[in-house]
């Protein structure tokens, strides 16, 4: 028995801020991963000095559509957050850039994998309208800018938003008509780039509210350039990108779900000394011969691609315990790397061929991660 | 600077390492890996990695 059709793309409940949208789903509607900034596998504070660095919280990193100049900032997983959230990505400018260089461009944002955007139909006549929503706070007030962009950086939708009151959380919603042209990658490639501009030379800005094929657009005309004010702060959380022309309530995911989504792109295998204070085990292996330890490490989720091993390579940071004997080492190398797991070895120790053992960390600064980021 | 690494089992050079301070990256030759893509661009710019250790 049919009950009729609701002719709206949003169904508002009686509770403010709680609604069901038109994304043809009430779960996994948010294409942004870690939008609540709750996952920070790399640590809770990072000094940012260049393009490509991760801003403490998973999946959010720095970009430039030109050159990264003198500007630097700290990026933290902050406990400052609006009601309903526990964390935000907090930025504090530590060195400024006047942005006089024509290519100056400072961006934070997230790249969305093509496997998670193919249904949007970008670059086709059936491109869907999406809405980007987020909570933001800054020590500065005014009009700020951002961009939705393709992989090649040659098709962009600049957007602007207003922060009227300093140091006050404000929710922003931006609706973006789907682009019917432009090249949008699919599969495991980066498809949609969601950018918030921290500053850019005016030559890299464009009018907000429409698509442009001008290359390397880094923000919206008239935007406030946070990177030009020493000590300026910028906090963001509750980031959601969903199908439809209205922002709906933020999709809260269970911590384990969000962590698993992050681990497709970055996996921290071990760090520091763990709860025991003695070290964290990260792989089981054997003496392949008298001079080489070889071990297998399985990833908790299938990663986007065969990942890069990222580790602190300092003397004595790791050890292999085998046959009641412990040997320390500093270097690790991977081989037979796949998206599901990898072999890992060290060839600077000596032991009895065939003896099995465990690789573990030995120092508070030991760190082993695997990155398959976009 | 990048350094080539030989697979200890088949002798094939299928990995490069890159060390910056205390951090080392061990990058597999995987087409979708963005670190590998950056390495290829570095090669295209005319650079040459350090050779793999003999017998590694």
């Amino acid at each position: 028995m049919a009950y009729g059709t609701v002719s709206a793309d949003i169904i508002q409940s009686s509770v403010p801020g709680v609604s069901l949208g038109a994304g043809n789903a009430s779960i996994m509607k948010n294409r942004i991963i870690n939008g609540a900034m709750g996952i920070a596998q790399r640590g809770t504070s990072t000094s940012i000095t260049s393009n490509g660095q991760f801003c403490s919280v998973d999946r959010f990193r720095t970009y430039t559509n030109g050159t990264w100049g003198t500007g630097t900032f700290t990026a933290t997983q902050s406990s400052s957050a609006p009601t309903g959230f526990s964390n935000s990505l907090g930025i504090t400018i530590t060195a400024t850039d006047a942005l006089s260089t024509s290519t100056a461009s400072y961006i934070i944002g997230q790249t969305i994998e093509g496997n998670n955007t193919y249904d949007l139909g970008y670059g086709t006549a059936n491109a869907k309208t999406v809405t980007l929503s987020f909570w933001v706070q800054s020590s500065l007030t005014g009009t700020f800018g951002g961009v939705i962009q393709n992989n090649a950086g040659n098709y962009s939708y600049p957007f602007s938003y207003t922060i009227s009151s300093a140091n006050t959380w404000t929710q922003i919603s931006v609706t973006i008509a789907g682009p019917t042209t432009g090249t949008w990658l699919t599969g495991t490639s980066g498809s949609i780039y969601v950018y918030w501009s921290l500053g850019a030379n005016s030559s890299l800005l464009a009018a907000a509210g429409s698509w442009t094929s001008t290359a390397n657009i880094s923000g919206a005309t008239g935007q406030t350039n946070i990177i030009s004010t020493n000590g300026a702060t910028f906090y963001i959380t509750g980031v959601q990108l969903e199908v439809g022309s209205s922002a709906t309530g933020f999709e809260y995911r269970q911590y384990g779900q969000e962590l698993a989504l992050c681990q497709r792109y970055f996996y921290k295998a071990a760090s520091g000394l763990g709860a025991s204070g003695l070290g964290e085990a990260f792989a089981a292996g054997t003496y392949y011969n008298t001079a080489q330890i070889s071990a297998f490490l399985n990833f908790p989720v299938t990663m986007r691609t065969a990942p890069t091993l990222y580790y602190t390579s300092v003397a004595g940071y790791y050890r292999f315990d085998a046959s009641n004997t412990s040997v320390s080492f500093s270097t690790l190398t991977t081989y037979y790397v796949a998206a599901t797991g990898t072999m890992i070895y060290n060839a600077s120790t000596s032991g009895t061929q065939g003896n099995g053992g465990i690789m573990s960390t030995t120092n508070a600064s030991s760190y082993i991660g695997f990155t398959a980021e976009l | 600077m990048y350094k080539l690494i030989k697979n200890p089992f088949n002798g094939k050079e299928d990995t490069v390492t890159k060390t910056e301070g205390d951090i080392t990256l061990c990058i597999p030759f995987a087409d979708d890996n963005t670190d590998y893509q950056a390495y290829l661009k570095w090669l295209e710019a005319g650079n040459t990695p350090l050779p793999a250790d003999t017998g590694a």
Side-chain angles (χ1 to χ4, degrees):
Chain A
M1 179 178 179
Y3 290 93
T5 301
V6 178
S7 298
D9 69 359
I10 183 170
I11 302 169
Q12 184 67 50
S13 80
S14 60
V15 180
V18 177
S19 53
L20 180 64
N24 200 29
S26 59
I27 59 172
M28 302 306 286
K29 65 182 178 182
N30 189 1
R31 310 308 168 99
I32 296 292
I33 294 173
N34 201 26
M37 314 296 176
I39 310 294
Q41 295 185 81
R42 295 174 178 83
T44 56
S45 182
T46 307
S47 295
I48 302 291
T49 59
S50 61
N51 175 41
Q53 286 186 264
F54 278 81
C55 301
S56 293
V57 295
D58 278 46
R59 301 293 295 125
F60 286 84
R61 51 161 281 201
T62 59
Y63 301 83
T64 181
N65 271 339
T67 54
W68 192 283
T70 57
T72 63
F73 55 87
T74 58
T76 62
Q77 183 192 37
S78 173
S79 59
S80 176
T83 300
F85 295 91
S86 295
N87 297 108
S88 64
L89 164 57
I91 286 170
T92 302
I93 306 302
T94 52
T96 62
D97 189 331
L99 305 171
S100 55
T101 303
S102 63
T103 55
S105 167
Y106 296 83
I107 293 166
I108 60 168
Q110 180 172 135
T111 307
I112 305 175
E113 184 180 339
N115 283 319
N116 297 329
T117 63
Y118 66 91
D119 63 304
L120 301 181
Y122 274 26
T124 75
N126 299 315
K128 294 180 180 176
T129 294
V130 299
T131 296
L132 175 68
S133 57
F134 53 95
W135 286 88
V136 66
Q137 181 188 117
S138 177
S139 60
L140 306 179
T141 59
T143 300
F144 295 75
V147 184
I148 305 294
Q149 196 164 84
N150 67 353
N151 183 288
N154 59 14
Y155 211 68
S156 306
Y157 185 98
F159 64 85
S160 62
Y161 57 96
T162 302
I163 299 177
S164 301
S165 181
N167 303 314
T168 303
W169 282 105
T170 304
Q171 189 175 27
I172 305 296
S173 175
V174 180
T175 296
I176 302 145
T180 55
T181 57
T183 300
W184 301 87
L185 301 185
T186 56
T188 57
S189 299
S191 176
I192 298 175
Y193 292 66
V194 184
Y195 288 160
W196 289 264
S197 179
L198 300 181
N201 182 272
S202 59
S203 64
L204 296 178
L205 305 179
S210 61
W211 289 97
T212 174
S213 59
T214 302
N216 300 322
I217 294 303
S218 299
T221 302
Q223 70 175 26
T224 300
N225 293 310
I226 304 160
I227 198 72
S228 299
T229 301
N230 196 33
T233 59
F234 180 84
Y235 294 85
I236 186 168
T237 192
V239 182
Q240 181 158 280
L241 183 74
E242 61 189 305
V243 172
S245 57
S246 300
T248 64
F250 184 79
E251 178 192 351
Y252 292 97
R253 298 175 184 136
Q254 293 192 21
Y255 184 87
Q257 289 177 304
E258 200 76 61
L259 177 61
L261 292 175
C262 292
Q263 286 174 332
R264 177 167 172 79
Y265 306 93
F266 185 84
Y267 165 51
K268 182 182 76 171
S271 68
L273 297 174
S276 70
L278 300 174
E280 282 194 345
F282 57 88
T286 185
Y287 277 102
Y288 177 73
N289 54 39
T290 57
Q292 180 180 308
I293 302 163
S294 194
F296 179 68
L297 193 151
N298 202 21
F299 306 136
V301 302
T302 300
M303 300 190 77
R304 185 186 63 83
T305 186
T308 296
L309 166 64
Y310 169 103
Y311 74 103
T312 47
S313 49
V314 179
Y317 267 29
Y318 310 98
R319 72 167 185 262
F320 187 67
D321 294 306
S323 191
N324 206 30
T325 301
S326 179
V327 295
S328 65
F329 57 92
S330 62
T331 61
L332 289 162
T333 310
T334 52
Y335 62 99
Y336 297 150
V337 188
T340 52
T342 184
M343 297 299 294
I344 189 167
Y345 79 96
N346 171 274
S348 63
T349 57
S350 62
T352 302
Q353 182 174 337
N355 278 355
I358 301 295
M359 282 186 179
S360 60
T361 60
T362 60
N363 189 283
S365 297
S366 302
Y367 192 98
I368 295 181
F370 292 87
T371 176
E373 293 281 5
L374 288 160
Chain B
M1 173 64 83
Y2 291 100
K3 180 180 179 179
L4 288 163
I5 302 293
K6 282 184 181 176
N7 184 312
F9 290 93
N10 60 19
K12 184 179 176 183
E13 293 176 346
D14 58 7
T15 303
V16 288
T17 59
K18 183 181 182 183
T19 299
E20 295 175 345
D22 291 345
I23 302 296
T24 295
L25 303 180
C26 188
I27 304 165
F29 288 2
D31 291 344
D32 284 348
N33 183 304
T34 52
D35 295 316
Y36 179 58
Q37 292 167 0
Y39 168 68
L40 293 179
K41 285 185 179 178
W42 183 81
L43 288 180
E44 288 172 5
N47 297 297
T48 304
L50 296 172
D53 291 336
T54 303

